[in-house]
Amino acid sequence: MTVSVGSSTCPPEALLGEAQSCTELTALDRLLQVTGCGLTTQKIKDEVTLVSVINQSSKLAYWPPALCEFTALSSINLSGNAITFIPQSVQTLTGLKVLNLARNNLTSVPPELCCLSSLTELDLSRNELRALHPDICTLKQLQVLNVMGNQISQLPEQFGDLSGLIRLGLKSNQLVELPASFTHLANLVELYITDNQLTTLPQGFGNLKSLVKLQASFNPFTHLPA
């Protein structure tokens, strides 16, 4: 069941009755009702698997704290809001596979996010990030990482530990180099590094045999590895 309602005047009992059978939350007002108005029963926490609140007339200015109690969640999409931070309690969402926080106002990512060992897709594009926490490299199941449109100047040295990556978006950052371990991304199929400050690529870059799509224009390359 997909829950999507406008401004509701239903009494709390009616809202609770509807929410008890929902598995998806796709409206901002419903998300706030369920997480902030005493409607968060254990049944709801155990049933909701998807939250997708995007393109709303009003912007969500914060991550609803009670959302981290929804331990059955497998997908969260809060892109296009005005969220400024991710709470440390995000680490409780151990079953989360997809997290999309694109087009928000994030300036950092807490290390607790790196406890989400089931993550396969992480989208942090078009925020205000200047760095990625080194622990992000422990997300062994991660297949898609998008951090385009930030202000990242350097990747963690152990970035190559993300051996499951298939698609990686680094476009429009401030990267001046890629770490040597980058060549360990043996499963990488798509790489977007357009519009950075790269002057070269790491030795062994040609060993990325799975790579079939590379976008690297608008970088001040001076030489490339043999």
Side-chain angles (χ1 to χ4, degrees):
M1 173 182 179
T2 298
V3 179
S4 182
V5 298
S7 298
S8 175
T9 57
C10 295
E13 293 79 6
L15 289 171
L16 180 57
E18 294 177 14
Q20 281 182 323
S21 61
C22 78
T23 59
E24 302 181 7
L25 294 172
T26 58
L28 179 57
D29 58 349
R30 176 52 61 89
L31 175 63
L32 295 178
Q33 287 165 348
V34 172
T35 60
C37 296
L39 302 180
T40 314
T41 66
Q42 189 60 49
K43 182 176 177 60
I44 297 172
K45 295 176 186 177
D46 292 342
E47 287 187 350
V48 176
T49 59
L50 179 146
V51 168
S52 182
V53 178
I54 60 176
N55 300 323
Q56 305 284 311
S57 57
S58 298
K59 301 294 185 182
L60 190 62
Y62 62 92
W63 176 296
L67 192 59
C68 293
E69 299 174 11
F70 287 57
T71 52
L73 279 172
S74 63
S75 178
I76 294 177
N77 187 344
L78 296 177
S79 59
N81 282 284
I83 297 171
T84 58
F85 74 96
I86 305 170
Q88 295 179 347
S89 53
V90 71
Q91 65 184 317
T92 62
L93 301 176
T94 54
L96 197 65
K97 295 183 178 181
V98 178
L99 178 58
N100 188 339
L101 291 170
R103 306 190 312 280
N104 276 279
N105 299 323
L106 299 171
T107 58
S108 64
V109 175
E112 288 79 10
L113 181 68
C114 306
C115 296
L116 305 182
S117 57
S118 297
L119 270 185
T120 59
E121 297 184 24
L122 177 60
D123 192 339
L124 298 171
S125 61
R126 296 176 63 183
N127 277 279
E128 301 171 22
L129 302 176
R130 295 184 177 276
L132 294 176
H133 195 281
D135 287 351
I136 199 172
C137 303
T138 65
L139 297 175
K140 304 298 185 182
Q141 302 301 316
L142 201 61
Q143 298 178 11
V144 178
L145 175 61
N146 186 357
V147 291
M148 295 183 187
N150 282 282
Q151 302 171 41
I152 300 170
S153 60
Q154 188 175 17
L155 297 177
E157 284 299 323
Q158 57 270 52
F159 195 81
D161 290 349
L162 292 171
S163 56
L165 279 181
I166 296 174
R167 184 164 70 249
L168 175 60
L170 299 170
K171 177 182 175 181
S172 298
N173 276 283
Q174 299 296 322
L175 292 170
V176 296
E177 65 177 356
L178 299 178
S181 67
F182 201 89
T183 58
H184 298 165
L185 301 177
N187 294 308
L188 196 61
V189 175
E190 299 179 23
L191 174 61
Y192 305 89
I193 53 176
T194 301
D195 189 23
N196 277 280
Q197 300 299 317
L198 299 170
T199 57
T200 188
L201 296 173
Q203 289 293 329
F205 187 85
N207 295 329
L208 298 178
K209 302 300 185 182
S210 298
L211 193 63
V212 297
K213 187 171 186 178
L214 171 63
Q215 293 186 359
S217 58
F218 298 103
N219 280 285
F221 289 119
T222 57
H223 66 281
L224 296 175

